[in-house]
Structure formats: C-alpha cells, structure tokens
Amino acid sequence: MQETVNRRQFLKTAGLSAIVSVAGTNALLASLPKKSGLKIAYSSITWGGNDAQAIADLAALGYRGIQLRANTFGPYRAKPSELKALLDQHHLTLAMFSSGNVEIDPAKEQSTIDMHVAHASFVKALGGSAIQLTNSARPKDRLPTPEELKRLATVMNEIGKQTADMGIQATYHNHMNQLGETPEEVDTIVQAMNPKYIKLELDIAHYRQGGGQPEKAVKQYKDIIYALHLKDTMSPLPDKPDDPKAYKFVELGRGNVNVPAVIKALDDINFSGWGIVELDGVPEKDKTPVQCAQINKDYITKTLHIQL
C-alpha cells in the first residue's frame, strides 16, 4: 500500500511540476518583445559541405544571413568573387565564418595566426565581418590548466589584433570537448581576452551542456558578446537515460536549453547582433537539412515571434 501511495504522490508531484513548467514557459513567451532586435542567420554545417545547396535552401526559406565554414576556403580562395556573387544572388549576408581551431602549442602559434588572418582576408572579400575561433581538443586524462586557458586567449588576442586591421572581428566560440567546456573555463578564457580585439560568440547549447545557464551568461558577458549560436541539446538521450554525458543536438525547442529565457535576456541587454541557428547534423535519419531548417524557422517565427 505504501508503494502505491508513494507512486501516486510521485505522479501527482510530477504532474504539478509539468504544469508549473508549462505555465512558466508560457508566461516567459508572453513577455518576449513584440519586435526583437536580434538578426537571424543559419549555419550551413547541416548540409555537410554542400554549401551551394545550403545557400539556395536557406534563401528559399527566407533566411537573410548565413554562416559558412572553412571548407569553402579551398575551392574559392582564388575566386572569392564567385562565392560572393552566389551569396548576393540569394540576398544572403555572411554573418559568420567558421575559421577553425586555434593552437596553443608555441611551435604552431605563427602558422595558426597566419591561417586565421588568411581566412579573415577571404571573409573581407565575401563582404563578411567576423570569424569564429574554436580550439584544440581538451586533454583527455585531466582538466585543462588555467595557464592553458589563458594561453588560448593570448593567441586569440593576437589573431584578433591582426584581423581588426582589415575590419574583421575575431570571436571565441565556447565548445564541448575543447578548452572552454565548463562555465568556469569559459570565464577564465573570457577574462583573459582583450575586448578590443576578441569578442564572444556564445553557443547556448554547448554552454548548457557544459553545465551553465546561457540566459545568465548573456547578461554576465553583455559587454563582450558579438554573436550567438542559437542551438538546442537533448540530454539525457532516450536510449541512454542513465548517462548524463550523452547528448545530441536537436532543433530549437526540442531539447533542454531554455531558448525563450535566452531571447528575453538578449532583449534585456538590447542586443541587436546575429543569432545564428546551428544544427551540426540532422538529428533523425529520416529528416533532411532543409526540413530541419524549416522546423527551426517555425519555432523562431511562431513560438518566439521573431521575424527572419
């Protein structure tokens, strides 16, 4: 009998929690601004390198900004005007360019700086204004040291100093399995960044999966945020319910990132930069990249009431 009572009490409590959660979300959605200053872009990463298709699909859906990756640098390096013409034809702005990893090994410092400066020059030719910096994989058998985290900031500061000379903003992207996985690590890096040369591109899903609350990070770093990755993460996974570290990226609104709270925080700080929707790959095999982009568009325009 006691087991039955406990089960009933659990179900009652769970039900009330769900009601409270839904009510809170609805109240938060109702408090969102009628007109957001956030500019919406979409990353081409979901198309797996087929950037021409990504450009065509995203333009057809009504997106006005795009993030391209470093894989476009090789084929278009000597002819950026062709890629720019393709973007112009589809009325897409290059909101961000994924420039790749920053090495902290002193022996690789000059080569990593040269690579990102070359990418910045490419971005300039495409009419873009910013590059995204990620970093080397974090140590597998230990936590990164404060010195390693600060070393990353030091190299990024130098990259940013050189790209600033050509009018391109360098941004740091926090990321799981890299230096800057947890909120504490991100803060150590940000505090060592020179805001004159390097800004923050806050990825809300990576930050949430790393143990943080991105809506709080928005306000904490309001003076240094240049752009955001609007992204959602599902964790734990249905097939791995007991593994808190297992996760996958999903369309906005399907995971455990409080996206409405992030949007509210952005409104509170009067943010008017780019919010770039990113989905690394299709979360279910029966979907296509364009279908996922449509789902994200519906969430942005119908749930968050933000115009593309």
Side-chain angles (χ1 to χ4, degrees):
M1 176 64 71
Q2 183 64 36
E3 182 178 347
T4 302
V5 172
N6 287 343
R7 184 172 183 274
R8 285 175 181 169
Q9 184 62 40
F10 170 78
L11 292 173
K12 181 180 179 182
T13 302
L16 288 173
S17 297
I19 292 171
V20 170
S21 177
V22 170
T25 300
N26 288 341
L28 184 57
L29 288 170
S31 70
L32 294 180
K34 299 303 179 185
K35 186 176 182 181
S36 174
L38 187 66
K39 298 183 294 183
I40 301 296
Y42 206 100
S43 174
S44 66
I45 190 172
T46 327
W47 280 258
N50 191 348
D51 295 285
Q53 188 64 52
I55 290 170
D57 287 344
L58 291 172
L61 285 172
Y63 288 97
R64 291 291 172 257
I66 191 170
Q67 176 166 350
L68 295 176
R69 301 163 66 208
N71 63 283
T72 59
F73 183 68
Y76 289 104
R77 179 178 187 177
K79 48 182 181 180
S81 59
E82 289 188 15
L83 182 54
K84 186 177 187 305
L86 187 60
L87 293 171
D88 291 344
Q89 175 191 337
H90 289 87
H91 308 290
L92 282 172
T93 297
L94 181 60
M96 183 65 69
F97 182 82
S98 304
S99 193
N101 288 340
V102 172
E103 301 289 347
I104 63 171
D105 181 352
K108 299 178 180 178
E109 179 173 347
Q110 193 57 53
S111 61
T112 198
I113 291 173
D114 291 345
M115 179 186 74
H116 292 295
V117 170
H119 287 168
S121 179
F122 180 63
V123 169
K124 182 79 171 179
L126 295 176
S129 59
I131 61 171
Q132 165 189 301
L133 305 176
T134 48
N135 61 82
S136 309
R138 65 194 286 108
K140 293 187 183 343
D141 56 349
R142 61 175 175 82
L143 294 175
T145 65
E147 289 72 27
E148 287 172 324
L149 300 173
K150 293 175 183 178
R151 169 70 180 156
L152 172 62
T154 297
V155 181
M156 291 194 299
N157 286 339
E158 182 57 33
I159 292 169
K161 183 177 182 180
Q162 295 192 31
T163 64
D165 290 340
M166 58 183 77
I168 301 299
Q169 177 66 59
T171 67
Y172 162 62
H173 177 299
N174 59 291
H175 206 289
M176 291 293 294
N177 303 312
Q178 294 187 358
L179 303 179
E181 175 178 289
T182 68
E184 295 77 17
E185 292 172 9
V186 170
D187 192 62
T188 298
I189 294 168
V190 170
Q191 297 306 323
M193 285 164 31
N194 185 338
K196 185 177 179 181
Y197 299 123
I198 186 83
K199 302 290 187 184
L200 175 64
E201 181 191 16
L202 178 66
D203 187 300
I204 65 175
H206 282 284
Y207 197 83
R208 175 67 177 81
Q209 189 61 32
Q213 293 180 272
E215 60 272 26
K216 291 186 177 181
V218 166
K219 295 189 175 183
Q220 181 178 354
Y221 300 120
K222 63 181 181 178
D223 295 328
I224 201 171
I225 292 180
Y226 178 85
L228 297 94
H229 267 176
L230 301 180
K231 194 167 183 173
D232 211 346
T233 180
M234 181 183 289
S235 179
L237 298 177
D239 58 339
K240 298 178 181 179
D242 299 323
D243 185 356
K245 294 185 178 182
Y247 67 95
K248 72 174 180 178
F249 297 116
V250 292
E251 298 92 343
L252 297 174
R254 289 188 58 204
N256 55 13
V257 176
N258 192 341
V259 181
V262 171
I263 300 303
K264 179 64 167 60
L266 291 171
D267 179 58
D268 289 343
I269 67 169
N270 297 312
F271 183 79
S272 58
W274 287 104
I276 305 160
V277 184
E278 185 183 59
L279 187 59
D280 291 31
V282 295
E284 286 84 30
K285 293 180 180 179
D286 60 342
K287 290 179 180 175
T288 65
V290 70
Q291 286 173 332
C292 294
Q294 178 68 61
I295 293 169
N296 281 319
K297 175 186 175 179
D298 289 343
Y299 183 83
I300 291 166
T301 59
K302 296 177 182 179
T303 300
L304 301 178
H305 304 293
I306 298 174
Q307 294 181 344
L308 294 186

